[in-house]
């Protein structure tokens, strides 16, 4: 039976992957895009920077509703916070509401290898998002499902969160609620980063380790019951309750289902089988939501269990240490998943997991006890343990080799890696059987025929060698090899939202011009960490020969700060600064610390990189004083044989006029439009002088600046210039051959 169930699970996964690759999609919203809608609130408000977010259901379909926060009517921070809390708690679980709104189609992957928000929502069975206004309560849902959700939420808030808020330190309250019920919403980003860098992210996700402590407590209760069957039934009820309490996430459902099946097998006097339990739990989840297989949490959860089942005994026989054996066996399977999704591996994960295992058990047991028995000494001890745990995680995150960035592995190489593991495992089992056979034959004084065994060993070694070679070949960068052979250049105009970033590869050399960055000074989102570096690693780039910063506005340079700290950069090209800034000073400090060469340029300078030449056209020796950051940005012409491309940074009308007055040759095949298509740039005269065939505009979707300006778009259209823009097309990929022939592909296909 277990073979059939495992085969069925594998077939379902392959079918879903095939349908996804063919573009056959589920959970696509086909209803009205705007107007008046009626919905049921499914959860309490999640507070964002400018909005409150609710999970809602409309006609049985799940969406996220974003409601803009009302502006506080007071300057008093304390009073403003109280007002906001009132707004946040305006609607409760089960409220039926009416609202006016616009449906927002979730963003798909915008750069090659980038984050796919639409797919992420589908893993949670969410169809999309709404922006709502004029919301009012029109009724209340009184179904059993909503009643359970209300009760669970009440326990989460009143019995758990409120209890810890009154008894523990703030940062410890956030951590214990994550460890007990999987609520990570109040944990600071730095703490989450520490857990990730220490290879302990799995601890913040409720999974098998947490359930093992639940089972310990259940068994403790069951031993005191006379009726074993009643105890087992109570155990199942407790597990089902805990699954609801922790949000029924994929890893929770996996661990819960497997534990329930173990108890059920005992009730039915059957032998529990780990592979049957794994297969049944994944089949249940796939039937509920086929897209669950794309959830990273579920991949890590199942991968970890499979690794332990397959390799624990082999490793334990070698090192005789339980914690290290569990950690190593789990990491053998989940390491490629981590590397593909996060581009990092850790060589200190064993140390961090040993320390984590010391703290985790006592913290979880004390955590649950403190809810049941509200005894002050328990809270004091729990608070101390949580603080020590956080300090330990922070130390482990900073250990040498705790976070090593590597290129994104090819999918084929991951498949080959798993086949390699299977072959190694098979060889180990065969050797073990052979050794047992030898011992048996020796005791019976029989002669051993080694011929077939030696033949099998040679075959196994050959398979392993072939797989290793295939892993190496599949990770080779054939695109770079192609441009070396054909002497092409590759230009990737990266979609980094409201900003500019261009990756240029020529021969074996790489150059990146600008990096993008947040335009919101209050945002904690690090574009370099979350978008730019993963993008480079996906392109198999772990070293940049040159970067160029046109000017030190955040939307052109901020992303580089993280990149400079985490991968090798040989040279940085900048110009003399007319205005100092915090970002410029931070940049200088990083370059000094990392010993990166800084090249200062101005009009008239030329730089040769591989097959291309960079002619610096601006700034001039005498800097412009009006809007100095934008108007003294670097303007350069990239020349490759007969092909030319003009990069204009954020220069405005004044700088454009100065370039024209100085009679500088700015004619180019491709124009990187200045200042994201703002009306302050790309004057008629400047455009005529450039006379481009193609224009590129780096701009964020629905940005608050209104870029690109309609007048500029009309001007480009009238000059017969083909416009490519990142907000509509995502990443723009340009290949130029030695004859100057241009090929352009956009990551997001449009009808135009």
């Amino acid at each position: 039976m277990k073979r059939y169930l495992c085969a069925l699970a594998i077939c379902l996964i392959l079918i879903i992957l095939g349908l996804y690759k063919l573009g056959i999609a589920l959970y696509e919203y086909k209803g009205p895009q705007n107007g008046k809608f009626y919905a049921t609130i499914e959860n309490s408000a999640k507070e964002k920077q400018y909005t409150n977010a609710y999970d809602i259901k409309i006609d049985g379909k799940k969406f996220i509703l974003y409601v803009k926060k009302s502006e506080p009517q007071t300057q008093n921070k304390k009073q403003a916070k109280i007002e906001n809390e009132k707004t946040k708690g305006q609607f409760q679980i089960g409220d039926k509401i009416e609202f006016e709104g616009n449906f927002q189609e979730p963003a798909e992957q915008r750069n090659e290898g980038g984050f796919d928000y639409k797919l992420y929502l589908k893993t949670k069975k969410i169809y999309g998002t709404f922006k709502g206004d004029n919301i009012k309560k029109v009724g209340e849902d009184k179904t059993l499902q909503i009643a359970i959700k209300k009760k669970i939420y009440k326990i989460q808030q009143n019995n758990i969160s409120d209890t810890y808020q009154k008894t523990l330190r703030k940062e410890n309250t956030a951590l214990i609620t994550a460890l007990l019920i999987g609520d990570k919403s109040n944990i600071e980003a730095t703490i989450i980063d520490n857990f990730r860098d220490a290879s302990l992210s799995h601890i913040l996700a409720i999974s098998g380790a947490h359930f093992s402590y639940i089972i310990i407590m259940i068994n403790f209760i069951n031993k005191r019951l006379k009726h074993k069957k009643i105890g087992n039934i109570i155990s199942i009820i407790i597990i089902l309750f805990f699954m609801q309490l922790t949000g029924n996430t994929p890893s929770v459902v996996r661990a819960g289902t497997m534990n329930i099946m173990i108890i059920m097998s005992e009730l039915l006097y059957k032998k529990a089988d780990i592979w049957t339990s794994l297969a049944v739990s994944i089949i249940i989840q796939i039937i509920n939501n086929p897209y669950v297989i794309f959830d990273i949490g579920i991949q890590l959860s199942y991968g970890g269990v499979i690794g332990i089942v397959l390799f624990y005994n082999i490793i334990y026989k070698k090192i005789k240490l339980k914690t290290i054996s569990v950690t190593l066996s789990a990491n053998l399977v989940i390491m490629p998943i981590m590397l593909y999704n996060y581009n990092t591996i850790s060589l200190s994960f064993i140390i961090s997991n040993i320390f984590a295992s010391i703290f985790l058990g006592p913290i979880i047991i004390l955590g649950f006890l403190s809810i049941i028995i509200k005894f002050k000494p328990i809270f004091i001890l729990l608070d101390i343990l949580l603080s020590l745990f956080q300090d330990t995680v922070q130390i482990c995150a900073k250990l040498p080799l705790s976070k090593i960035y590597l290129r994104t592995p090819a999918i084929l190489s991951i498949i080959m890696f798993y086949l390699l593991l299977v072959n190694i495992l098979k060889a180990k089992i065969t050797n073990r059987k052979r050794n047992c056979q030898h011992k048996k034959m020796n005791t019976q004084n029989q002669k051993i025929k080694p011929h077939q065994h030696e033949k099998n060993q040679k075959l196994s070694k050959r398979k392993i060698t072939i797989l290793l070679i295939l892993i190496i070949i599949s990770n080779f960068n054939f695109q770079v090899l192609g441009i070396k052979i054909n002497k092409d250049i590759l230009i990737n105009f990266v979609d980094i939202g409201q900003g500019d970033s261009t990756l240029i590869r020529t021969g074996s050399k790489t150059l990146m011009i600008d990096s993008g960055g947040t335009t919101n000074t209050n945002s904690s989102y690090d574009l370099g960490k979350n978008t730019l570096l993963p993008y480079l690693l996906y392109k198999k780039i772990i070293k940049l020969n040159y970067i160029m910063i046109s000017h030190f506005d955040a939307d052109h340079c901020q992303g580089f700060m993280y990149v400079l700290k985490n991968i090798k950069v040989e040279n940085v090209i900048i110009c003399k600064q007319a205005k100092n800034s915090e970002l410029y000073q931070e940049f200088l400090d990083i370059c000094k610390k990392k010993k990166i060469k800084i090249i200062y340029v101005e009009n008239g300078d030329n730089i040769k990189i591989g097959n291309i030449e960079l002619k610096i056209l601006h700034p001039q020796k005498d800097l412009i004083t009006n809007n100095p950051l934008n108007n003294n940005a670097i303007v350069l012409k990239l020349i490759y044989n007969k092909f030319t491309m003009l990069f204009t940074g954020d220069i405005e009308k004044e700088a454009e006029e100065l370039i024209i007055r100085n009679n500088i040759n700015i004619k180019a095949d491709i124009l990187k439009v200045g200042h994201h298509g703002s009306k302050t740039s790309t004057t008629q005269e400047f455009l005529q002088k450039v006379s481009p065939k193609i224009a590129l505009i780096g701009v964020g979707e629905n940005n608050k600046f209104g870029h690109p300006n309609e007048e500029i778009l009309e001007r480009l259209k009238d000059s017969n210039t083909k416009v490519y823009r990142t907000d509509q097309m995502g990443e723009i990929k340009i290949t130029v051959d030695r004859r100057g022939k241009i090929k352009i592909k956009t990551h997001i296909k449009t009808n135009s």
Side-chain angles (χ1 to χ4, degrees):
M1 174 63 87
K2 71 176 179 182
R3 288 184 179 181
Y4 294 120
L5 285 169
C6 290
L8 176 60
I10 292 166
C11 286
L12 285 172
I13 290 167
L14 292 173
I15 289 166
I16 294 157
L17 287 170
L19 292 173
Y20 176 72
K21 285 294 178 185
L22 290 169
I24 299 167
L26 303 174
Y27 310 136
E28 296 287 319
Y29 178 64
K30 304 295 183 186
Q33 301 294 301
N34 51 62
K36 191 176 283 186
F37 297 90
Y38 294 89
T40 303
I41 301 285
E42 290 277 302
N43 76 323
S44 60
K46 295 171 187 172
E47 192 174 356
K48 308 292 180 184
Q49 191 168 3
Y50 300 112
T51 60
N52 287 321
Y54 295 91
D55 286 350
I56 60 169
K57 270 193 178 175
I58 300 174
D59 298 328
K61 297 179 178 70
K62 195 174 176 181
F63 300 87
I64 298 173
L65 173 65
Y66 289 104
V67 182
K68 191 175 179 182
K69 290 179 184 176
S70 57
E71 292 294 327
Q73 302 298 311
T74 175
Q75 295 297 315
N76 185 291
K77 286 185 179 179
K78 190 175 179 181
Q79 190 60 37
K81 188 178 179 181
I82 293 168
E83 284 184 26
N84 184 51
E85 285 299 317
K86 285 180 181 177
T87 306
K88 183 180 171 183
Q90 189 175 354
F91 301 104
Q92 306 298 326
I93 297 168
D95 285 352
K96 291 185 175 181
I97 58 166
E98 173 191 289
F99 69 93
E100 292 174 10
N102 297 300
F103 176 71
Q104 309 283 312
E105 185 73 32
E108 297 180 78
Q109 190 185 67
R110 304 193 62 81
N111 295 301
E112 192 177 6
F115 179 63
D116 191 335
Y117 183 56
K118 189 172 187 177
L119 181 60
Y120 168 77
L121 289 183
K122 284 184 176 185
T123 64
K124 301 182 181 305
K125 244 177 156 179
I126 296 172
Y127 284 72
T129 63
F130 278 94
K131 280 187 177 178
D133 205 359
N134 297 325
I135 307 168
K136 60 182 180 182
K137 182 178 174 180
V138 294
E140 194 172 338
D141 190 326
K142 294 183 179 179
T143 58
L144 178 62
Q145 186 184 13
I146 290 294
I148 292 169
K149 281 190 175 185
K150 281 183 175 181
K151 189 66 180 174
I152 292 291
Y153 178 71
K154 191 176 179 182
I155 292 167
Q156 288 172 338
Q157 293 302 306
N158 297 350
N159 295 62
I160 299 173
S161 295
D162 288 355
T163 299
Y164 290 131
Q165 281 172 12
K166 293 170 186 174
T167 54
L168 304 179
R169 278 170 276 191
K170 186 181 177 182
E171 64 273 15
N172 289 341
T173 299
L175 180 57
I176 192 65
T177 50
L179 292 173
L180 292 188
I181 58 174
D183 180 10
K184 298 192 285 281
S185 58
N186 294 315
I187 299 185
E188 292 179 11
T190 51
I191 294 172
I192 291 175
D193 287 343
N194 284 338
F195 272 86
R196 182 178 293 176
D197 294 347
S199 295
L200 295 172
S201 293
H202 59 281
I203 283 174
L204 295 178
I206 307 296
S207 60
H210 299 73
F211 271 90
S212 64
Y213 297 110
I214 297 288
I215 298 300
I216 288 168
M217 289 188 281
I218 288 171
N219 288 340
F220 179 79
I221 295 165
N222 285 349
K223 281 178 183 178
R224 278 144 185 81
L225 292 172
K226 291 180 181 179
H227 300 284
K228 198 172 182 181
K229 282 190 177 181
I230 293 171
N232 283 331
I233 292 165
I234 291 169
S235 299
I236 291 170
I237 293 167
I238 290 170
I239 289 169
L240 288 169
F241 170 74
F242 185 67
M243 287 167 70
Q244 285 288 331
L245 189 68
T246 51
N248 277 322
T249 60
S251 58
V252 166
V253 173
R254 193 272 306 158
T257 304
M258 290 180 72
N259 277 287
I260 288 170
M261 287 191 71
I262 290 167
I263 297 167
M264 289 291 290
S265 65
E266 197 174 319
L267 281 169
L268 299 170
Y269 303 103
K270 300 280 185 180
K271 188 180 177 182
D273 177 70
I274 189 75
W275 293 110
T276 302
S277 300
L278 274 169
V280 169
S281 65
I282 191 64
I283 289 166
I284 288 168
Q285 298 207 64
I286 288 171
I287 291 168
N288 178 55
N289 178 11
Y291 289 101
V292 76
I293 65 167
F294 297 103
D295 181 85
I296 297 167
I298 205 170
Q299 293 168 16
L300 294 173
S301 182
Y302 280 88
V305 173
I306 290 167
I308 293 164
V309 172
L310 291 177
F311 301 107
Y312 173 76
N313 288 332
I314 294 168
I315 295 169
Y316 184 72
K317 281 180 181 178
K318 296 285 184 185
I319 61 176
K320 303 294 182 184
L321 295 167
K322 188 175 179 181
T323 303
I324 295 175
S325 300
V326 169
T327 303
L328 281 172
S329 54
N331 272 274
L332 272 174
V333 175
I334 68 172
M335 184 178 62
I337 301 168
M338 291 292 291
L339 191 53
Y340 185 80
N341 288 286
Y342 301 116
N343 298 106
T344 59
I345 62 165
S346 170
L347 298 183
S348 62
F349 67 89
I350 293 174
I351 297 168
S352 57
N353 276 272
I354 287 170
F355 280 112
S357 65
I358 294 168
F359 287 102
L360 188 61
I363 285 172
I364 291 176
I365 291 167
L366 282 173
F368 283 115
L369 277 175
S370 64
I371 295 166
I372 301 163
I373 309 164
K374 293 181 170 59
F375 187 45
K376 192 174 180 180
I378 294 176
F379 290 113
I380 293 168
L381 181 57
L382 183 61
D383 207 27
I384 292 167
L385 284 173
L386 286 164
S387 295
L388 287 171
F389 186 33
Q390 292 211 54
D391 291 341
T392 304
V393 170
Q394 192 173 2
I395 292 165
C396 290
K398 291 176 182 177
L399 286 172
L401 306 177
S402 65
K403 186 180 182 182
I404 303 167
Y405 278 106
L406 294 175
R407 298 166 179 168
T408 306
I411 292 288
L412 181 61
S413 74
I414 293 173
I415 295 167
M416 294 299 166
F417 177 80
Y418 288 136
L419 288 173
L420 180 67
L421 287 182
V422 169
N423 273 276
I424 292 169
L425 181 67
K426 197 175 175 183
K428 289 278 185 188
I429 293 167
T430 304
N431 282 336
R432 192 188 299 163
K433 285 180 179 177
R434 179 69 180 173
N435 290 335
C436 290
Q437 190 181 6
H438 280 192
K439 287 177 184 177
K440 187 178 179 181
M441 293 177 81
N442 281 331
T443 57
Q444 295 173 356
N445 295 318
Q446 294 179 8
K447 289 183 179 180
I448 299 162
K449 296 178 181 179
H451 177 68
Q452 185 61 41
H453 176 61
E454 287 172 3
K455 192 176 177 181
N456 289 338
Q457 275 192 323
K458 283 180 183 178
L459 185 63
S460 180
K461 284 178 182 177
R462 199 176 296 135
K463 280 182 183 178
I464 290 168
T465 304
I466 291 166
L467 286 166
L468 280 169
I469 292 166
L470 287 172
I471 289 168
I472 294 165
I473 291 171
S474 62
N475 278 298
F476 196 76
N477 199 333
F478 290 101
Q479 194 177 34
V480 171
L481 180 65
I483 66 171
K484 282 182 183 178
I485 294 168
N486 299 321
K487 294 186 178 176
D488 295 341
I489 65 167
L490 296 178
I491 301 168
N492 295 84
F493 198 54
V494 190
D495 182 359
I496 38 80
Q498 184 63 20
D500 280 350
S501 187
T502 310
L503 173 66
I504 301 164
R505 285 168 288 173
T506 166
S508 59
K509 301 293 183 183
T510 53
L511 160 70
M512 195 160 214
I513 301 173
D514 289 340
S515 66
T518 180
T519 54
N520 179 5
T521 53
N522 296 320
S523 176
S524 60
Y525 184 81
D526 191 330
L527 187 135
K529 177 183 177 182
N530 297 298
T531 302
L532 198 64
L533 184 57
Y535 174 81
L536 289 170
L537 295 171
Y538 187 84
K539 295 286 186 184
K540 305 196 183 303
I541 295 168
I542 54 173
K543 181 178 79 172
L544 287 166
N545 301 106
Y546 292 85
I547 68 170
M548 176 181 282
I549 299 173
S550 65
H551 63 298
F552 281 85
D553 265 345
D555 59 334
H556 287 257
C557 72
Q558 194 179 55
F560 273 143
M561 302 306 162
Y562 191 83
V563 172
L564 285 164
K565 291 174 187 175
N566 288 283
I567 64 170
K568 185 172 177 58
V569 177
E570 292 180 336
N571 305 281
V572 180
I573 303 167
I574 63 170
C575 61
K576 182 182 174 184
Q577 296 302 297
K579 182 182 176 183
N580 209 337
S581 67
E582 285 183 23
L583 283 169
Y584 179 57
Q585 194 56 53
E586 184 184 351
F587 158 78
L588 291 176
D589 292 342
I590 295 168
C591 288
K592 185 179 178 181
K593 187 177 179 181
K594 303 279 285 186
K595 295 180 181 177
I596 300 167
K597 184 181 177 183
I598 301 175
I599 303 168
Y600 290 89
V601 296
E602 61 181 25
N603 171 42
D605 291 333
N606 288 337
I607 299 172
K608 184 79 174 171
I609 301 174
N611 299 326
I612 63 172
E613 182 185 354
L614 305 179
K615 285 182 79 75
I616 308 299
L617 311 180
H618 189 75
Q620 316 301 312
K621 282 187 179 180
D622 296 325
L623 299 177
I624 298 170
T625 55
N626 181 40
N627 198 356
L629 267 180
N630 285 350
N631 276 320
N632 293 295
I634 293 174
V635 176
L636 71 95
K637 184 190 277 193
L638 181 152
I639 302 169
Y640 171 62
N641 295 337
K642 294 179 180 179
F643 169 79
T644 53
M645 181 171 176
L646 190 69
F647 292 85
T648 56
D650 275 355
I651 63 164
E652 298 179 348
K653 182 180 178 182
E654 191 170 351
E656 291 179 355
E657 288 174 347
L658 179 61
I659 290 168
I660 292 167
R661 278 201 308 274
N662 289 340
N663 202 28
I664 295 170
N665 180 9
I666 54 174
K667 184 171 173 55
D669 298 305
I670 298 178
L671 168 67
K672 197 293 295 179
V673 174
H675 208 176
H676 322 290
S678 165
K679 64 181 179 181
T680 60
S681 305
T682 321
T683 60
Q684 185 68 51
E685 189 180 1
F686 187 80
L687 186 58
Q688 284 174 352
K689 291 282 185 184
V690 180
S691 187
K693 300 170 192 171
I694 295 160
L696 306 178
I697 304 176
V699 63
E701 275 191 299
N702 305 315
N703 65 87
K704 62 183 179 182
F705 307 103
H707 296 159
N709 181 264
E710 285 297 326
E711 187 181 330
I712 300 301
L713 292 174
E714 282 297 318
R715 194 174 291 164
L716 289 164
K717 185 181 176 183
D718 293 343
S719 66
N720 294 317
T721 304
K722 174 72 175 171
V723 175
Y724 291 84
R725 40 194 283 194
T726 54
D727 62 333
Q728 294 179 350
M729 303 168 181
E731 178 190 5
I732 299 156
K733 308 162 195 176
I734 304 167
T735 307
V736 184
D737 67 18
R738 69 183 80 181
R739 295 182 301 275
K741 187 178 178 183
I742 303 167
K743 290 181 182 176
I744 298 185
K745 288 183 180 178
T746 61
H747 195 69
I748 298 171
K749 305 301 176 188
T750 60
N751 296 325
S752 59

